[in-house]
Amino acid sequence: MIVLGIESTAHTFGVGIVDDSSEDFIVADEREHYIPKHGGIHPREASRFFAEKGPQVVGRTLRTSKFDINSIDGVAVALGPGLGPCLRIGATIARALSIYFKRPLIPVNHAVAHIEIGLKLTELSDPVIVYLSGGNTAIVAYVERKYRVFGETLDIALGNLLDTFAREAGLGPPYVVGGVHVVDRCAEGGKRIVRELPYVVKGQDVAFSGLLTSALRMYKSGANLEDLCLTVREIAYNSVLEVAARCLMHTRKSEIMVVGGVAASPILREKLEQLVKIYNARLGIVPPTYAVDNGVMIAWTGVLEMRSGVTVEPEKAIVNQRWRLDEVDIVWK
Amino acid sequence: MEVELPESLRTMVREKLYIYTGYVKTVNMLSKPLVVSIGAEAYILRGKFMEIDSIIKWRFPKPYMPPELDREFRSIRTEIEAKVMWRCLLMGIKTPIPLYVNTGDAVIIMTYIEGSTLRELANRIRDEELCRICREVGVYIAKMHVNGVSHGDLTTSNIIVDSKESQTHLIDFGLATFGKRDEDYAIDLHIFFRSIESAHIDRERIMKECFLNGYSSITGDYESSKMLKIVNDIRKRGRYVAERKLKSAWRSI
């Protein structure tokens, strides 16, 4: 089965083609990134960029795959969650392809796709999933036909915390240099833990906005930036680790998988390796190329869904900015 | 499972205690403790402390944390946990009784409660019994809130009904805090409700109703409905909750 997947939830317009009959299942993977001149992603600007680049990326993907559009069995698209204007570009292109070439349209949840591609690449069977990206921080576990959110952030995401802190403290953008986040790099020079910063874990949930506000306030009042970087990073990572450990104990699973853009962090990897040792668990980290947003993960999830008969009529394929991960029935497991 | 115990506990295992009650009785300070379970932040061991059946909670060092931060965390949490337990006992809430607290090594020894957790019981006991337990939990939590304490991790696994007198006990105050913030109080309700929804969905109505009944019997209806409003707000803070109002009108295509 060959499926073409389109991803356009935030700043990446990605198109991928996956062939489940081949050993090397990824046939094509093309991406375009919207990079804002300053500040964060502006949804309108990003969507304009997508509208301009989108059709080219689709064409390029088909050319590199050497597949004819007629040999493709289905078109998968990320219908949410994400930024509305961006989602609509991907959805419009996918609906057009589906209607014009008479191919079934497959609705994919972006977060589920991150998990499914992770499972495929790490070869873990039933892990506790630590989903860390610019927009999401969640600890997820598969229980009874759903990926259930065990704990999540009650305000901003981990990636968002690090990026915003870096931006306000003049460390970025770019936020990731040579595979290491600028806050991690700045923390290398830190010597002292700043006592005044808050560590917030509420049961199974975390919250970072208070940490961000206090850290920035202390930065402005002249505290040592390297010490602040170290403290922010340690508090942020450790609160996530604490919830992950709690989930591992609670669900009695024996694997941990990290997905999302922050999965690339070598510091986080090191901490997780120490954590799994305590609990005798296995650790799987999704390779950075596929841990970030891409079209391949949408196509792969499309394959899984299409095998179980999950498709949608193009006229009903409406984007949903707030499509929670735990609303999706996992019928293919 | 073998665990390398901290120094204070290892010393205690070697020590003897001589009690004079007309004659001299020799007892072990601490019989060799056995690991019952390992949690997210602590080992839970069981042993006899001065002949009393006890639970030993040891917050073990976390290799992935900077040692300084780790030590501080463990000692502060241990101290707060012990203080909250004492405060609760003073209010007439049944919890394990702390017998020995060592903030340096992050150890608390407390009395063992023989019984089953509400998580184990919820799906197999009769409605009246379930209601009685949940109502009592509601009363306990309201008393704590009125006295400025929140539990922080009120799941059905942290409620024990003892097998002798069927009394309800609260355990695990590891995330408890002192403070008069409605937000922290509401988190207790939120976590309790969520744990009901995730594990005992069939008994959701009776458990929630009885809990709230007990809760408002202490705080009054005004306070409890105020809490429910905050709980609702907290729920909407999760990612992508559709109920939350969108800033712009929903454009579907």
Side-chain angles (χ1 to χ4, degrees):
Chain A
M1 187 179 289
I2 300 159
V3 170
L4 178 140
I6 298 176
E7 150 71 30
S8 69
T9 56
H11 63 330
T12 306
F13 191 94
V15 181
I17 297 180
V18 157
D19 178 4
D20 70 343
S21 63
S22 117
E23 182 79 13
D24 189 19
F25 73 107
I26 300 167
V27 179
D29 175 14
E30 294 292 330
R31 306 170 194 187
E32 282 288 344
H33 298 282
Y34 162 72
I35 300 163
K37 286 190 190 71
H38 50 81
I41 305 171
H42 190 304
R44 185 190 62 213
E45 298 304 320
S47 71
R48 280 186 186 163
F49 175 86
F50 286 178
E52 193 183 308
K53 300 281 182 187
Q56 299 167 18
V57 183
V58 175
R60 215 161 69 208
T61 314
L62 282 166
R63 274 196 301 282
T64 53
S65 77
K66 308 220 166 46
F67 277 129
D68 183 70
I69 184 85
N70 289 309
S71 57
I72 285 178
D73 298 306
V75 177
V77 60
L79 288 180
L83 305 171
C86 300
L87 286 168
R88 280 179 207 108
I89 304 293
T92 306
I93 293 176
R95 283 190 294 252
L97 288 173
S98 160
I99 294 168
Y100 192 82
F101 294 103
K102 300 192 175 57
R103 288 291 174 271
L105 188 63
I106 314 156
V108 173
N109 179 297
H110 173 85
V112 170
H114 265 302
I115 295 173
E116 291 298 346
I117 194 75
L119 291 176
K120 171 81 177 159
L121 294 172
T122 57
E123 296 180 339
L124 296 178
S125 58
D126 186 18
V128 164
I129 299 140
V130 181
Y131 178 16
L132 304 174
S133 67
N136 284 280
T137 299
I139 311 294
V140 177
Y142 178 79
V143 182
E144 287 170 24
R145 306 199 85 66
K146 277 192 174 158
Y147 287 116
R148 296 185 196 260
V149 178
F150 178 82
E152 64 186 325
T153 175
L154 292 176
D155 43 45
I156 58 174
L158 177 58
N160 196 190
L161 162 76
L162 297 177
D163 291 356
T164 311
F165 180 74
R167 188 164 69 231
E168 298 292 318
L171 296 166
Y175 303 116
V176 179
V177 180
V180 180
H181 198 281
V182 286
V183 173
D184 277 345
R185 179 128 301 155
C186 150
E188 284 167 12
K191 288 177 191 69
R192 201 180 67 86
I193 294 291
V194 183
R195 299 294 170 102
E196 294 82 359
L197 299 185
Y199 177 100
V200 184
V201 171
K202 297 186 174 199
Q204 300 153 358
D205 294 325
V206 292
F208 296 126
S209 63
L211 175 61
L212 177 63
T213 313
S214 331
L216 288 175
R217 191 183 298 140
M218 293 198 64
Y219 169 69
K220 280 173 193 139
S221 63
N224 182 305
L225 179 59
E226 293 179 334
D227 288 346
L228 281 176
C229 285
L230 176 68
T231 316
V232 165
R233 177 189 83 189
E234 290 301 331
I235 292 182
Y237 286 177
N238 286 317
S239 50
V240 170
L241 256 62
E242 185 182 333
V243 179
R246 198 162 285 146
C247 183
L248 200 62
M249 287 297 96
H250 189 85
T251 56
R252 305 196 196 317
K253 294 188 192 291
S254 57
E255 297 166 333
I256 293 186
M257 179 174 85
V258 194
V259 299
V262 187
S265 162
I267 311 283
L268 185 70
R269 170 194 288 257
E270 202 180 298
K271 285 178 183 294
L272 280 161
E273 274 164 0
Q274 285 167 323
L275 178 82
V276 292
K277 230 180 264 167
I278 301 176
Y279 297 99
N280 254 332
R282 278 182 61 203
L283 176 66
I285 292 183
V286 184
T289 328
Y290 296 104
V292 296
D293 295 355
N294 62 81
V296 171
M297 66 183 196
I298 307 297
W300 170 245
T301 313
V303 167
L304 296 173
E305 291 188 18
M306 208 170 142
R307 279 189 204 150
S308 313
V310 181
T311 55
V312 63
E313 292 300 318
E315 55 267 36
K316 290 194 182 125
I318 294 165
V319 303
N320 183 353
Q321 288 131 296
R322 289 153 198 247
W323 189 8
R324 273 182 74 87
L325 167 70
D326 48 13
E327 288 168 24
V328 183
D329 281 313
I330 309 299
V331 290
W332 53 88
K333 273 209 174 186
Chain B
M1 187 164 47
E2 272 301 312
V3 180
E4 178 72 12
L5 292 175
E7 183 55 36
S8 57
L9 288 178
R10 273 182 294 163
T11 318
M12 266 195 261
V13 171
R14 287 193 298 268
E15 279 173 343
K16 295 258 186 259
L17 201 66
Y18 302 99
I19 301 173
Y20 181 73
T21 49
Y23 62 97
V24 176
K25 193 179 161 198
T26 314
V27 299
N28 288 322
M29 190 69 160
L30 181 67
S31 67
K32 195 167 168 38
L34 295 171
V35 178
V36 181
S37 76
I38 156 172
E41 53 161 358
Y43 283 111
I44 305 295
L45 307 105
R46 191 173 164 191
K48 279 210 165 20
F49 177 71
M50 303 204 292
E51 296 281 270
I52 303 164
D53 203 353
S54 302
I55 283 290
I56 299 139
K57 179 168 181 176
W58 174 43
R59 290 184 160 81
F60 58 88
K62 314 292 178 295
Y64 47 84
M65 276 178 78
E68 185 194 352
L69 191 65
D70 179 45
R71 210 172 308 124
E72 184 176 322
F73 262 21
R74 292 189 293 126
S75 110
I76 289 179
R77 286 191 176 178
T78 305
E79 185 180 330
I80 293 180
E81 179 167 11
K83 281 184 179 166
V84 168
M85 280 158 80
W86 275 118
R87 179 79 70 93
C88 287
L89 287 165
L90 288 174
M91 291 177 228
I93 295 167
K94 295 200 166 48
T95 77
I97 303 162
L99 303 170
Y100 169 90
V101 180
N102 181 335
T103 55
D105 278 343
V107 171
I108 301 182
I109 301 182
M110 59 190 110
T111 51
Y112 175 77
I113 297 162
E114 178 77 56
S116 315
T117 64
L118 182 57
R119 188 187 163 88
E120 294 157 353
L121 293 172
N123 295 331
R124 65 165 199 244
I125 53 176
R126 285 180 301 117
D127 283 0
E128 303 85 72
E129 179 68 0
L130 186 62
C131 182
R132 183 188 68 80
I133 296 165
C134 289
R135 191 176 188 284
E136 195 157 26
V137 175
V139 169
Y140 282 174
I141 293 298
K143 276 188 185 171
M144 287 173 68
H145 291 176
V146 169
N147 285 284
V149 188
S150 52
H151 184 284
D153 194 15
L154 188 69
T155 61
T156 46
S157 320
N158 285 338
I159 296 161
I160 291 188
V161 181
D162 74 77
S163 43
K164 270 193 216 127
E165 295 164 330
S166 304
Q167 304 238 33
T168 313
H169 300 252
L170 300 183
I171 60 161
D172 195 357
F173 293 81
L175 291 173
T177 46
F178 289 102
K180 296 206 182 301
R181 286 180 59 211
D182 284 347
E183 174 92 21
D184 290 337
Y185 302 157
I187 293 268
D188 278 348
L189 272 64
H190 167 59
I191 292 175
F192 186 61
F193 290 172
R194 198 166 60 177
S195 83
I196 292 174
E197 287 154 21
S198 67
H200 322 288
I201 192 76
D202 301 345
R203 324 267 328 241
E204 180 186 2
R205 235 195 73 200
I206 183 163
M207 290 178 81
K208 284 186 180 176
E209 270 175 13
C210 295
F211 174 87
L212 285 173
N213 181 284
Y215 192 89
S216 46
S217 73
I218 300 290
T219 62
D221 289 338
Y222 175 75
E223 279 295 317
S224 68
S225 58
K226 189 172 93 186
M227 274 305 146
L228 283 180
K229 269 197 205 101
I230 306 176
V231 170
N232 244 331
D233 280 354
I234 293 172
R235 300 210 148 193
K236 287 183 200 161
R237 272 180 227 164
R239 277 288 174 279
Y240 317 121
V241 177
E243 255 179 89
R244 197 166 53 200
K245 262 194 199 141
L246 287 170
K247 278 185 198 132
S248 56
W250 184 293
R251 278 158 295 166
S252 54
I253 303 287

